[in-house]
Amino acid sequence: MSKIDQVIYTGRTHTTGGREGAARSADGRLDVRLSRPGSSGPGTNPEQLLGAGWSACFIGAMGHAARQLNVNLPGDVAVTAEIDLGTGEGGFFLQARLQVSLPGLPRDAAQALIDAAHQTCPYSKALRGNIDVATELV
């Protein structure tokens, strides 16, 4: 397991009620109601929150890779994250797909950015080897 030498930031949240509760960050910037996936409840769910956080971080990692590879990252870069919650032998599991849009970049340059980002993104590192993940250039 990798160890952190220096903490850059700590995000602190407090959640009550589980999948039908609420979550709030210590600074008050995140204040959401939670609902079960697929329900008609008024809130979001952990799978959507994971997708939002991971895709935002992944775009940041592509920006880092673009600087390292001397490539201009398109201004309209986008990542669609699909996080599946399912069951299998042993209980509940997640799997994910990251669909990456890098308009205007040649396919080989775009794929190099995706591959580099997937190696450096903290979310990708945390989930690598723990859930099935597919990245796709769209």
Side-chain angles (χ1 to χ4, degrees):
M1 175 178 14
S2 299
K3 298 287 183 181
I4 291 178
D5 293 326
Q6 179 183 357
V7 173
I8 298 170
Y9 173 78
T10 300
R12 183 169 188 235
T13 58
H14 180 78
T15 302
T16 58
R19 287 183 173 272
E20 295 177 347
R24 181 177 170 87
S25 63
D27 63 8
R29 291 182 180 182
L30 176 72
D31 190 359
V32 295
R33 294 176 71 176
L34 301 170
S35 298
R36 291 187 182 277
S39 75
S40 61
T44 187
N45 60 64
E47 290 72 28
Q48 291 170 332
L49 293 170
L50 173 59
W54 191 358
S55 55
C57 186
F58 200 87
I59 291 171
M62 285 192 296
H64 177 74
R67 288 186 295 279
Q68 301 248 319
L69 298 171
N70 203 24
V71 173
N72 290 324
L73 191 67
D76 52 352
V77 61
V79 175
T80 299
E82 296 180 333
I83 310 296
D84 298 326
L85 170 65
T87 59
E89 187 177 321
F92 293 96
F93 297 96
L94 298 174
Q95 65 183 17
R97 290 168 302 287
L98 300 179
Q99 299 165 339
V100 183
S101 174
L102 292 160
L105 280 185
R107 185 163 192 79
D108 60 335
Q111 191 62 56
L113 288 180
I114 292 168
D115 293 343
H118 197 44
Q119 292 305 308
T120 60
C121 173
Y123 281 74
S124 294
K125 287 180 181 181
L127 295 168
R128 183 175 298 115
N130 294 308
I131 68 170
D132 287 333
V133 178
T135 59
E136 177 186 9
L137 176 61
V138 294

